[in-house]
Amino acid sequence: MKLSEKLAALEEQERKAAGTTKLRPRTDGKTARRNSKTVSNSNWASSKRKVRELVLAEVAPKMGGLSEDNLMKEVRGALDRIVQREDVKVSPIERRKFVEEVFRDTLGYGPLDPLLADEAITEVMCNNFDDIWVEREGRIEHTGASFTDEVQYRAVIEKIVSAVGRRIDESAPMVDARLPDGSRVNAIIPPLAIHGPVLTIRKFAADPYKVKDLINFGTFTLDLAAVLEACVRGKMNILVSGGTGTGKTTNLNVLSSFIPDGERVITIEDAAELQLQQPHVINLEARPPNAEGSGEVRIRDLVRNALRMRPDRIIVGEVRGGEALDMLQAMNTGHEGSMTTVHSNSPRDALSRLETMVLMAGFDLPVRAIREQIASALHLIMHLDRLPDGRRVVTSLTEIQGMEGDTILLQEVFKYRTLPSRDGRPSGELAATGLRPKFVDKLNELGIELPAKVFHAHRGPVPTDARPESTRKVRVPSARELAAPERAR
């Protein structure tokens, strides 16, 4: 007898023995509760799936001619009828929760809806349909939320992507999109994502942050806010740099709030995220290629087109490639006051990245010519970092002062200084370096005056009631002061 036949015979004997004997395996209370919970969750998920399919089948033929309010009423009515008709096995206490979850699954984004509504959450990261993480107050934590199954998970991704005219499938397995409130969405599916679809949502506040909010968060100081407002009004070209998740787009929004209302502003982005409050704003958005590989419109094409739209200022959400050259050209040809962002680790690294991206435009330009373009186009670099405790702060405001040989000269106007930690929490402050920047002369010519004290470096002890304890500046005594008590003794 073959080995496979022997194994089959043994399995048959075990099945017969299990059928004749009614012995139950002994389980402890914890195992029994866990098994019961697993069965309960399975029943809950299967009931939701069944009801959702029935609701969609009943409402789908009517969806075309219904407004949003009427559609919600129709879905709720169909949901109530189906729950009663199908006799869903849900306790009366959980019935309301069940109805709300199915309603969200049908019209919303399922388990993402409460996470998106939570103002304390800044990022939602779905690694799989049952593995959802969030960033809350700068810390990443796991949630107990999950989609019913991968079918629902993929349906939500399709709903988000199709709402902005994008697609995601095997031929285009990754996509950037946005939610109706402007929140940034990135999705990537197999075969690129090996273990299943991954959805990442960078949330933006429904009410855009203003400069006073960033001052309260500790991102800005009053002195820095005054300097930046004067620079934006004086049409300085500003580059916002920083790593991923440091708040570049949020700070770009705040900088744009200083633009006078009478100016025509054109924004250019991969996926529209900026929330400018000016009355005269034109928003342009890049477009990926279609299924045939044609129809692509790049940021670089939009920057060139914007030059023909009579802009006072051009704001590019982020430069990643050859559009850096077109942006610098625009800044050097009368479109002052333009702003953009770039990923980098420091202000000096930001300039190096710009050089590399200019070369990506396809022109064999000498390095000195590129650096001269950068030095004449940009006036300020505002760099942001995320601290170990999750806070996002401006760590440097750097002025570009021109060229010396082949090197671009940089001078820090404001710098973040780390202070001795208290209670194990990192602390520090953003303070002026004490150097007078060159752009002050240009601002004076335009009639924009800045008080000289905003550039004064802090010297001597700071009054204890002048600032919160966590941000007080600690003064280190000099060697002479330390020696004085010794001499007296």
Side-chain angles (χ1 to χ4, degrees), residues 132-148:
I132 301 178
W133 297 71
V134 296
E135 182 187 62
R136 193 191 306 269
E137 297 177 353
R139 306 282 180 155
I140 295 178
E141 58 188 50
H142 191 264
T143 70
S146 69
F147 292 89
T148 305

Side-chain angles (χ1 to χ4, degrees), residues 116 177-185 201-205 272-273:
L116 296 174
R178 68 180 186 278
L179 296 180
D181 64 355
S183 296
R184 179 191 310 166
V185 177
I201 301 175
R202 172 76 55 79
K203 282 180 56 184
F204 292 131
E273 302 165 2

